[in-house]
Amino acid sequence: MAKTRLAIIGLGMAAAPHAKSLRDLSDRVEVAAAFSPSADRRQAFAQTYGFPTCDDAETIFADASIGAMLLLTPPNTHLELVRRAASAGKHILLEKPLETSLERAEALVAAADQAGVKLGIVLQHRFRPVSRALAGIMNDGRLGAMVSASARLSNWRPQSYYDQSGRGTKARDGGGVLLTQAIHTLDLLISLAGLPVEVTAYATTSPVHRMETEDLAMGAIRFGNGAIGTVSATTTAYPGLPDAIDIIGTEGMARLHGTELSAQFHDGTELSATDEAAGGAGADPMAFSHHHHRAVIADFLDAIESDRSPLVTGREALKVHRLIEAILRSSETGQRQVV
């Protein structure tokens, strides 16, 4: 089978795990070009990874031999780039979040749907082996009926992180900890437990940071079957702790804590699993293995080759955007919100 020719737009901080993954998958994918408006970034990227670069994004959109695009640009650029790529008939793998607002995210997904191209979203926590093991436990019904599901993200980011231009602003990023960091953990919770139907929440900018958007958010959630839980997210938790998901059922409990999964069942049996590839909770947001990004890209290539949907489609990713929107709306209004 011929290799998929893929182009990259965006060569900032997020490019490293993707580039390493693409090198690992070189038997399946050919990087045809990589673009950044910064000549320095293009040069550094080419020297580090050996991939060709170009100095004009228009050459990528116009090249009919390029069948797929990897978009790693800031959130406020996503809608226009997806529209351009979709109209050119190119499949798209998009770094999270979808966009800066739910309305723009919905327009982005609609553009890909109308063009008939595949749209995969980089929400790599679903690809962790421990995440898949927990999904297997739940799908097999070993926990029984769900009575509670909760998620916690306790990251640390120094002020220097938010001092970078555009970081944590509504105009560029669309939000703070929820849309930038916690989106991964909340998406994983939704993939396991379903989308909550109601939320009551608070979100604030703490005295720890000088920034426009929230660095601390907490809420209570309710699911359609009556199960309840909590969500919390922050970048104020020095020096940073592993993210966690707890699910309690009528027949047992499971906890996903960073790289470790543990489950205990009422029949006396237990299960545990470990994944060595994790990190990024502390001051260095890129301190993690690229293995899960490689799994995302491999799934995207499988989807193209097999003509199926990626594991995390744009429409699937809209669910976590709806939850985040409801958390922020509840905080602003002081009222319970329907998700």
Side-chain angles (χ1 to χ4, degrees):
M1 183 175 293
K3 294 182 182 181
T4 297
R5 279 176 55 81
L6 175 145
I8 307 169
I9 294 184
L11 302 178
M13 182 172 60
H18 292 285
K20 293 174 184 177
S21 300
L22 289 166
R23 286 198 305 195
D24 290 351
L25 296 167
S26 60
D27 61 328
R28 302 184 58 191
V29 61
E30 176 189 352
V31 176
F35 170 77
S36 166
S38 166
D40 289 343
R41 283 188 176 179
R42 293 196 302 269
Q43 181 179 6
F45 185 81
Q47 289 177 345
T48 302
Y49 301 107
F51 293 137
T53 62
C54 65
D55 58 8
D56 185 357
E58 297 303 318
T59 63
I60 293 174
F61 292 115
D63 189 341
S65 74
I66 296 175
M69 297 186 64
L70 176 59
L71 301 180
L72 308 176
T73 56
N76 65 341
T77 67
H78 288 179
L79 177 55
E80 180 59 27
L81 287 172
V82 166
R83 282 174 170 165
R84 294 289 311 282
S87 66
K90 303 182 190 304
H91 302 300
I92 303 153
L93 183 58
L94 177 68
E95 183 60 75
K96 62 77 190 169
L98 287 168
E99 249 285 353
T100 57
S101 70
L102 178 59
E103 180 181 10
R104 288 177 64 84
E106 290 173 337
L108 183 154
V109 173
D113 284 349
Q114 290 167 7
V117 299
K118 301 185 189 304
L119 174 62
I121 311 302
V122 182
L123 287 164
Q124 69 270 15
H125 283 25
R126 293 200 191 196
F127 291 83
R128 291 176 172 176
V130 288
S131 300
R132 290 179 163 177
L134 178 52
I137 290 172
M138 298 192 68
N139 291 338
D140 292 342
R142 295 192 63 190
L143 293 179
M146 186 179 73
V147 299
S148 179
S150 299
R152 182 181 72 251
L153 178 98
S154 300
N155 280 183
W156 164 249
R157 297 293 185 267
Q159 181 59 40
S160 58
Y161 175 84
Y162 292 110
D163 288 341
Q164 298 180 42
S165 179
R167 185 68 57 74
T169 64
K170 291 182 180 179
R172 193 195 78 163
D173 288 352
V177 63
L178 289 170
L179 203 57
T180 303
Q181 286 89 18
I183 188 171
H184 288 292
T185 309
L186 295 176
D187 171 71
L188 181 56
L189 177 71
I190 291 168
S191 75
L192 295 166
L195 182 64
V197 296
E198 289 182 343
V199 61
T200 303
Y202 295 94
T204 188
T205 307
S206 78
V208 175
H209 294 127
R210 297 181 305 277
M211 57 186 293
E212 180 184 3
T213 53
E214 84 289 344
D215 64 355
L216 179 63
M218 296 187 178
I221 54 177
R222 184 177 69 82
F223 295 88
N225 72 336
I228 60 175
T230 61
V231 292
S232 67
T234 188
T235 53
T236 68
Y238 180 84
L241 300 171
D243 57 343
I245 289 178
D246 292 337
I247 298 179
I248 302 173
T250 55
E251 300 297 329
M253 174 181 175
R255 163 167 285 190
L256 192 60
H257 187 245
T259 62
E260 299 181 355
L261 168 65
S262 61
Q264 295 80 32
F265 306 98
H266 291 191
D267 63 7
T269 61
E270 298 181 357
L271 182 149
S272 63
T274 302
D275 174 14
E276 296 180 358
D284 181 1
M286 303 307 293
F288 55 81
S289 164
H290 69 283
H291 294 170
H292 304 139
H293 285 77
R294 184 175 61 202
V296 172
I297 296 175
D299 173 75
F300 180 65
L301 296 174
D302 289 343
I304 293 172
E305 293 167 4
S306 303
D307 193 21
R308 63 163 175 81
S309 297
L311 178 63
V312 187
T313 63
R315 196 152 298 281
E316 178 69 13
L318 281 174
K319 295 177 182 178
V320 70
H321 280 260
R322 292 192 181 104
L323 176 57
I324 290 171
E325 177 83 2
I327 291 171
L328 293 173
R329 192 167 61 243
S330 177
S331 176
E332 292 169 358
T333 64
Q335 298 177 349
R336 179 186 306 171
Q337 296 293 318
V338 174
V339 179

